[in-house]
Amino acid sequence: MQISARNRLKGTVIEVTKGATTAHVRIDIGGGSTVTASITNEAVDELDISVGKTAYAVVKASDVMVAVD
Amino acid sequence: MQISARNRLKGTVIEVTKGATTAHVRIDIGGGSTVTASITNEAVDELDISVGKTAYAVVKASDVMVAVD
Amino acid sequence: MQISARNRLKGTVIEVTKGATTAHVRIDIGGGSTVTASITNEAVDELDISVGKTAYAVVKASDVMVAVD
Amino acid sequence: MQISARNRLKGTVIEVTKGATTAHVRIDIGGGSTVTASITNEAVDELDISVGKTAYAVVKASDVMVAVD
Amino acid sequence: MQISARNRLKGTVIEVTKGATTAHVRIDIGGGSTVTASITNEAVDELDISVGKTAYAVVKASDVMVAVD
Amino acid sequence: MQISARNRLKGTVIEVTKGATTAHVRIDIGGGSTVTASITNEAVDELDISVGKTAYAVVKASDVMVAVD
């Protein structure tokens, strides 16, 4: 499956914190950067997302803001 | 100003394409990765975003999905 | 590739309108329902999205609201 | 009240799971498709969303992605 | 129709700028504050949004960030 | 830091409710209006968001819908 979302950053899952319904997944994308995703617990289970696995942080372009110093 | 958005990826602006109301800004965040942001033309002007400038791609955690192969 | 987004609605592309940077894609998902997606022109080209093709409307659960009469 | 969001899919609530602050609501929109919404517990209470009720899944066009096989 | 989105700010439309596919609508919500919405041209037409009309800026709670100085 | 998000509404934090992973922050922006944000507990801690503090509700223009009566 190919998706229209413009941003796919490959990395390694370094933390999975499940809440009551919502989980936080942290992915190390290299170069000292990490990305945090807030997704459903259900998705964590279905995709079997766990620490040490390769994963992609996927973001639609319209959800990216730009900041400058 | 500090913002609650969990994800801030530092890079260099490599492309700015303005449309009629919406612009696409591409930021090279290193390691062979680029991030595309779809923002208003107005924001491009106000923040003076142009090729070669240092910028951050900022994303709220709830807008990040996770994919696996 | 498997993605964490909870919602994938299968259908047929019935309209593609490209703007200056942003395109609108309309997908007939059956049962008299259509879904409109606002994505980049670039994604339309890359995925070769055109009228008559099978496609999925994909939405993250945190982007879905609920309304009642 | 009329809203600018382009997508309104009518269905029946088939599951409501409340977490600590965030609830997941599943709506059967017919044709074998379900839509999952992640909304606040507060909204579930205020709109009195419960299993068996008619409801709409509402999504802004800029939050819809397109995928192809 | 009642919607789960937690935020509805009432005001007066002070500017409508249509692009090729995407329009920007600016609403004066009083107290010296304005809110800018990026919506489809189609929604502008369907809801007959024009300068001087009363309108609401509607935002899902999961799309609101918090910033501090 | 300057951010591209078009909407920044200044106010006072009047409620912080932490869930298992996700917190709800309510900001009084004056004129009888409040804004609710759903953000990570981690952001609440890092920005030290608490009742009585001055804060801004920040929203990207593409996340704002428009409604009319």
Side-chain angles (χ1 to χ4, degrees):
Chain A
M1 198 184 77
Q2 267 188 291
I3 196 159
S4 59
R6 293 296 80 198
N7 302 297
R8 270 153 285 182
L9 301 169
K10 191 177 185 173
T12 304
V13 177
I14 57 169
E15 197 180 320
V16 178
T17 309
K18 275 186 170 180
T21 51
T22 308
H24 292 169
V25 175
R26 203 182 293 254
I27 300 173
D28 181 337
I29 59 164
S33 293
T34 60
V35 172
T36 300
S38 175
I39 63 176
T40 61
N41 285 345
E42 193 188 274
V44 169
D45 293 341
E46 193 183 296
L47 274 67
D48 193 21
I49 297 167
S50 56
V51 173
K53 291 191 85 170
T54 295
Y56 301 80
V58 178
V59 184
K60 197 173 187 304
S62 54
D63 287 327
V64 181
M65 293 162 285
V66 178
V68 295
D69 280 322
Chain B
M1 197 184 76
Q2 267 188 292
I3 196 159
S4 59
R6 293 296 80 200
N7 301 298
R8 268 154 287 182
L9 300 170
K10 192 177 185 172
T12 303
V13 177
I14 56 170
E15 197 180 321
V16 177
T17 310
K18 275 186 168 180
T21 52
T22 309
H24 291 169
V25 176
R26 202 182 294 255
I27 300 172
D28 180 337
I29 59 164
S33 294
T34 61
V35 172
T36 300
S38 175
I39 64 175
T40 60
N41 285 346
E42 191 187 276
V44 169
D45 294 340
E46 193 183 298
L47 274 67
D48 194 19
I49 296 167
S50 56
V51 173
K53 290 192 86 171
T54 295
Y56 300 81
V58 178
V59 185
K60 196 173 188 302
S62 54
D63 287 328
V64 182
M65 291 162 285
V66 178
V68 295
D69 281 320
Chain C
M1 197 184 75
Q2 268 188 290
I3 196 158
S4 59
R6 292 296 81 199
N7 301 299
R8 267 154 288 182
L9 301 169
K10 192 178 185 171
T12 304
V13 177
I14 55 169
E15 196 180 321
V16 178
T17 310
K18 274 186 170 180
T21 52
T22 308
H24 292 169
V25 176
R26 205 181 291 254
I27 300 173
D28 181 336
I29 59 164
S33 294
T34 60
V35 173
T36 300
S38 175
I39 64 175
T40 60
N41 285 346
E42 192 187 274
V44 169
D45 293 340
E46 193 183 296
L47 273 66
D48 194 19
I49 296 167
S50 55
V51 173
K53 292 192 84 170
T54 295
Y56 301 82
V58 178
V59 184
K60 196 174 186 305
S62 54
D63 287 327
V64 182
M65 291 163 284
V66 179
V68 295
D69 280 322
Chain D
M1 197 185 75
Q2 267 188 290
I3 196 158
S4 59
R6 293 294 83 198
N7 302 297
R8 268 153 288 181
L9 301 169
K10 193 178 185 172
T12 304
V13 177
I14 56 169
E15 196 181 321
V16 178
T17 309
K18 275 187 168 178
T21 52
T22 308
H24 292 170
V25 176
R26 205 181 293 254
I27 299 173
D28 181 337
I29 59 164
S33 294
T34 60
V35 172
T36 301
S38 174
I39 64 175
T40 60
N41 286 346
E42 193 187 274
V44 170
D45 293 341
E46 194 183 297
L47 274 67
D48 193 19
I49 297 167
S50 56
V51 173
K53 292 192 84 170
T54 295
Y56 301 81
V58 178
V59 185
K60 196 174 186 304
S62 54
D63 287 327
V64 181
M65 292 163 285
V66 179
V68 294
D69 280 321
Chain E
M1 198 184 75
Q2 267 189 292
I3 196 158
S4 60
R6 293 296 80 198
N7 302 298
R8 267 154 288 182
L9 301 169
K10 192 178 185 173
T12 304
V13 177
I14 55 169
E15 197 181 320
V16 177
T17 310
K18 275 186 168 180
T21 52
T22 308
H24 292 169
V25 176
R26 204 182 292 255
I27 300 173
D28 181 337
I29 59 164
S33 292
T34 59
V35 172
T36 301
S38 175
I39 63 175
T40 61
N41 285 346
E42 192 188 274
V44 169
D45 293 341
E46 193 183 296
L47 274 67
D48 194 20
I49 296 167
S50 55
V51 173
K53 292 191 83 170
T54 296
Y56 301 80
V58 178
V59 185
K60 196 174 188 303
S62 54
D63 287 327
V64 181
M65 292 163 284
V66 179
V68 294
D69 281 321
Chain F
M1 198 184 74
Q2 267 188 290
I3 196 158
S4 59
R6 292 295 81 198
N7 302 298
R8 269 154 286 181
L9 300 169
K10 192 177 184 173
T12 303
V13 177
I14 56 169
E15 197 180 322
V16 178
T17 310
K18 275 186 170 181
T21 52
T22 308
H24 293 170
V25 175
R26 204 182 292 254
I27 300 173
D28 181 337
I29 59 164
S33 293
T34 60
V35 172
T36 301
S38 175
I39 63 175
T40 61
N41 285 345
E42 193 187 275
V44 170
D45 293 341
E46 193 183 297
L47 274 67
D48 194 19
I49 296 167
S50 55
V51 173
K53 291 191 85 171
T54 295
Y56 301 80
V58 178
V59 184
K60 196 174 186 304
S62 54
D63 287 328
V64 181
M65 291 162 286
V66 179
V68 294
D69 280 321

